[in-house]
Amino acid sequence: MNDKEICIIITFISTTAAMDAEEYLKEHSVPGRIIPLPGSISAGCGLAWRISGSEYSKQDIRGIINQLDGIDGIHSLTMPLS
């Protein structure tokens, strides 16, 4: 049984940027949630947005978040199922 999945992780430069992004992503029906920053990623704040599964590519996400300020990076990680 596979108990891990590939996720897209969006990181932010500040907690305020993470909260603004959470509101924006929810308004645009992007599935996911705020999570603590995974230890394998170094970023400006301790929060990240996790998109589970392979529903979106990194390129798709770039197109969706191009209006947001405060994005530190977009990462692909294999993580435990949530």
Side-chain angles (χ1 to χ4, degrees):
M1 179 166 71
N2 186 5
D3 58 348
K4 295 190 176 190
E5 66 181 338
I6 296 174
C7 298
I8 302 288
I9 304 295
I10 304 170
T11 57
F12 308 99
I13 61 171
S14 69
T15 301
T16 301
M19 298 296 104
D20 291 345
E22 178 181 34
E23 182 178 333
Y24 178 86
L25 293 166
K26 285 182 177 181
E27 286 174 4
H28 288 84
S29 301
V30 176
R33 61 187 173 96
I34 291 285
I35 63 167
L37 186 68
S40 61
I41 299 174
S42 176
C45 85
L47 299 174
W49 183 264
R50 175 183 173 158
I51 303 168
S52 297
S54 58
E55 197 169 330
Y56 290 86
S57 70
K58 286 171 72 172
Q59 188 64 29
D60 293 334
I61 297 303
R62 282 189 187 96
I64 293 168
I65 65 171
N66 65 0
Q67 300 297 316
L68 290 173
D69 292 325
I71 301 297
D72 188 51
I74 303 171
H75 312 268
S76 292
L77 288 180
T78 302
M79 299 183 71
L81 292 171
S82 59

